[in-house]
């Protein structure tokens, strides 16, 4: 038996104004997508924006359903919009932000486990890390280079992609 320690590195900014301008723009797109959230059950509104290598941005927001599991997180709405409208263009980055009706979202919002696995799929498809920009409604912003940092033991069975 051996103990293995896994560490991750990421950047933390005190506010979005400290980010490089392209990341600021993507985060702004994520924040404006919050207004399209449909969250009558959780009252928690999430916006996400995905940037492609050609500069095009696709955004999305969480869409809830009275049959709860039928709803979808903002990250998957945004990344599936990008992948289905521009299937051949590399995905470079995703930004996420959120607001709640009843409290302040003061910490960066990390994607849920299913969204992490969904995002990883496009890293594998294009063999390219996706930059992940996470924020609350204001304040601190985390920037993580690649989903392997957030999902180190991702499901990755390359036998499945062989013919
Ligand atoms: N949600 C997201 O959109 N993204 C996440 O990463 C976590 C949670 C949504 C799902 C649901 O509509 C609401 O936030 C509360 O869980």
């Amino acid at each position: 038996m051996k103990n293995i320690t896994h560490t991750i590195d990421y950047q933390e900014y005190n506010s979005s104004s400290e980010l490089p301008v392209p990341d600021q723009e993507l985060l702004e797109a994520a924040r404006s997508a919050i207004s399209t959230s449909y969250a009558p059950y959780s009252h928690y509104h999430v916006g996400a924006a995905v940037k492609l290598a050609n500069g095009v941005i696709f955004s999305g927001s969480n869409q809830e359903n009275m049959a709860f599991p039928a709803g979808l997180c903002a990250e998957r709405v945004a990344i599936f919009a990008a992948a289905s409208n521009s299937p051949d263009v590399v995905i470079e980055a995703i930004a996420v932000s959120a607001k709640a009706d009843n409290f302040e979202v003061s910490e960066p919002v990390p994607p849920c486990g299913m969204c992490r696995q969904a995002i990883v799929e496009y890293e594998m498809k294009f063999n390219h890390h996706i930059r992940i920009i996470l924020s609350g409604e204001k304040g601190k912003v985390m920037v993580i280079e690649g989903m392997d940092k957030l999902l180190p033991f991702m499901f990755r069975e390359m036998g499945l992609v062989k013919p």
Side-chain angles (χ1 to χ4, degrees), residues 36-59:
T36 68
S37 157
Y38 176 66
Y41 306 104
S42 72
H43 309 286
Y44 188 78
H45 308 276
V46 187
V50 169
K51 188 178 191 182
L52 305 184
N54 60 10
V56 173
I57 291 175
F58 286 92
S59 57

Side-chain angles (χ1 to χ4, degrees), residues 63-73:
Q63 300 296 317
E64 297 185 349
N65 192 284
M66 62 177 68
F68 287 2
L72 201 62
C73 294

Side-chain angles (χ1 to χ4, degrees), residues 9 33 40 46 66-67 70 76 87 98 107 110 113-114 124 135 148 154 159:
D9 61 281
V46 187
M66 62 177 68
R76 275 176 286 161
E107 288 294 313
M114 279 193 18
M124 291 194 277
S135 74
D148 54 324
M154 62 187 70

Side-chain angles (χ1 to χ4, degrees), residues 25-155:
E25 286 169 0
L26 193 59
L27 185 50
E28 273 317 302
R31 284 182 169 160
S32 74
I34 289 173
S35 66
T36 68
S37 157
Y38 176 66
Y41 306 104
S42 72
H43 309 286
Y44 188 78
H45 308 276
V46 187
V50 169
K51 188 178 191 182
L52 305 184
N54 60 10
V56 173
I57 291 175
F58 286 92
S59 57
S61 56
N62 56 328
Q63 300 296 317
E64 297 185 349
N65 192 284
M66 62 177 68
F68 287 2
L72 201 62
C73 294
E75 294 91 325
R76 275 176 286 161
V77 171
I79 207 157
F80 292 163
S84 52
N85 284 288
S86 273
D88 301 323
V89 187
V90 170
I91 294 173
E92 286 203 325
I94 183 167
V96 185
S97 188
K99 270 188 191 158
D101 290 347
N102 310 320
F103 57 92
E104 186 178 278
V105 182
S106 53
E107 288 294 313
V109 175
C112 78
M114 279 193 18
C115 287
R116 294 179 198 205
Q117 186 70 41
I119 294 166
V120 157
E121 186 73 21
Y122 298 99
E123 292 191 326
M124 291 194 277
K125 177 180 178 186
F126 294 115
N127 195 24
H128 189 280
H129 271 154
I130 296 177
R131 184 172 168 83
I132 304 147
I133 302 155
L134 306 177
S135 74
E137 58 193 89
K138 58 182 183 189
K140 197 163 83 181
V141 181
M142 289 166 65
V143 177
I144 302 140
E145 293 293 345
M147 195 45 89
D148 54 324
K149 311 249 170 46
L150 285 184
L151 193 63
F153 296 102
M154 62 187 70
F155 180 67

